[in-house]
Amino acid sequence: MRLYVNIDHVATVREARGTDEPDPVRAAVLVELAGADGITVHLREDRRHVQDRDVRLLAETCRTALNLEIAAEPEMIRIATELRPMQVTLVPERRDEVTTEGGLDLGGEARLERLRRAIDPLADAGIRVSLFVDPDREALEASAALGVPAIELHTGEYANARSSEAKEREVDRLREAAELGSTLGLSVHAGHGLTYENVLPVARIAPIEELNIGHSIVSRAVFAGLEGAVRDMLELLRGARGRGPNSE
Ligand code: PXP
C-alpha cells in the first residue's frame, strides 16, 4: 500500500496571508523524509492554494513521485505535459466547490472525447494517467475502455456516511469497485475525506494499491507541531530580555 500525501492545504495557509510561508515545497521534503511514497497537489483553475511555481519546483525536486491533480482542460494539460510529473490524476472541477465533490462524469460520447483529448497528450509525454471516479461499474468500465492504467476511487461518500450500516454499505461498494477495477487491469487508488479515524476499512481492501490523503494529515500536523512552535516563540521572547542594549 502506497501513501501519497496531498499538501494542498499547506499552500492554503500560505495563501491566507499571500506570503511565502508555509512553503509546500519545503513540506514535501518533510513528507518524503517521513517515508511517504509520493506527493499529491491539485492545481486548480482559480489557483486558490497550489500555484504554478509550486508545481514547477515540486516537479524538479520530488525524490519520490509527484501526482498532479488537474481538470481535463487544455491549459492544465499544457502545464502537465511541460512539467511531466510522474502521474496525473484527472478530476472534475467546479469553481464554487469547497473541495472535489465527486468522480468524473464518464457518461456520453462528448465527455469521453473531451477526456481522450486530455489523456492522449499526457500518455504521449510518458505521464501515468489516473481518473478520479465514483466506485461504480459504469465508471470503471468506461475508464478501462479509455485505456488509462489507473483509477482513483472517490471515497467521499464513505467518509460522509454517518451510520455504521451506511459505512458498511460504502465499504462494500468500494471493495466491489476495487475488485472490478483490478479485474479490468486497472491499478486501483483511492482517496478523499480519509482520516485517522476512518481509513482502516479502506486500507484493508486488497486491490487498493495507493491512498491519497491530505486534509487529515495536514490538520494533525498543526496540532502535532503547535506546542513546539509556541515554545520556540517563548524561548525567543525570553532570550530578548536581558541580552540586548534595550533589555530591562
Ligand atoms: N483525491 C483527490 C482526487 C482529491 O481531489 C483530493 C482532495 O484534493 C484528495 C484525494 C485528498 O482528499 P483529502 O484532502 O480529503 O484527504
Side-chain angles (χ1 to χ4, degrees):
M1 167 73 68
R2 299 186 294 271
L3 172 65
Y4 277 44
V5 178
N6 181 314
I7 54 172
D8 290 350
H9 295 311
V10 175
T12 302
V13 176
R14 177 191 60 191
E15 295 306 310
R17 273 296 173 92
T19 176
D20 60 0
E21 68 171 6
D23 187 341
V25 180
R26 296 176 76 172
V29 174
L30 295 181
V31 167
E32 290 187 326
L33 283 174
D37 300 287
I39 304 294
T40 296
V41 285
H42 184 174
L43 185 66
R44 283 183 165 270
E45 188 198 3
D46 63 9
R47 309 299 199 272
R48 69 174 71 156
H49 39 51
V50 169
Q51 305 296 313
D52 299 54
R53 164 267 186 207
D54 302 329
V55 184
R56 186 165 25 82
L57 289 177
L58 288 168
E60 271 180 36
T61 58
C62 264
R63 304 292 296 265
T64 53
L66 178 62
N67 172 36
L68 177 63
E69 294 176 1
I70 48 172
E73 295 296 336
E75 183 205 8
M76 292 298 159
I77 304 306
R78 186 183 49 69
I79 292 170
T81 51
E82 197 182 306
L83 299 179
R84 293 180 189 235
M86 189 281 289
Q87 180 167 282
V88 160
T89 302
L90 294 175
V91 299
E93 199 174 298
R94 280 200 308 110
R95 249 178 190 273
D96 55 351
E97 67 190 1
V98 173
T99 181
T100 317
E101 286 173 346
L104 290 162
D105 186 347
L106 301 174
E109 188 48 37
R111 287 200 189 89
L112 292 176
E113 185 47 37
R114 182 169 158 266
L115 277 172
R116 272 187 217 106
R117 280 202 300 273
I119 294 167
D120 290 349
L122 294 171
D124 289 347
I127 299 165
R128 189 162 189 265
V129 181
S130 175
L131 303 181
F132 187 54
V133 295
D134 290 320
D136 296 330
R137 170 174 287 276
E138 304 75 48
L140 289 158
E141 288 176 346
S143 301
L146 284 167
V148 291
I151 50 101
E152 179 178 337
L153 296 176
H154 179 229
T155 52
E157 291 201 22
Y158 162 70
N160 290 335
R162 286 290 151 254
S163 67
S164 48
E165 292 78 23
K167 280 184 199 155
E168 262 173 49
R169 242 190 342 267
E170 290 301 328
V171 172
D172 288 345
R173 197 175 149 211
L174 286 165
R175 186 181 305 103
E176 279 165 31
E179 281 164 4
L180 174 62
S182 173
T183 307
L184 291 167
L186 295 160
S187 293
V188 180
H189 312 159
H192 207 279
L194 296 176
T195 67
Y196 294 84
E197 288 73 34
N198 69 17
V199 71
L200 287 182
V202 177
R204 290 192 188 107
I205 299 175
I208 295 180
E209 298 171 17
E210 180 183 307
L211 292 180
N212 270 285
I213 308 181
H215 185 260
S216 185
I217 292 177
V218 174
S219 301
R220 180 168 290 218
V222 171
F223 280 0
L226 194 54
E227 275 187 62
V230 173
R231 279 200 202 99
D232 288 349
M233 183 57 81
L234 284 171
E235 206 173 305
L236 186 67
L237 295 175
R238 283 182 191 131
R241 300 280 166 116
R243 249 198 235 148
N246 298 326
S247 58
E248 289 168 16

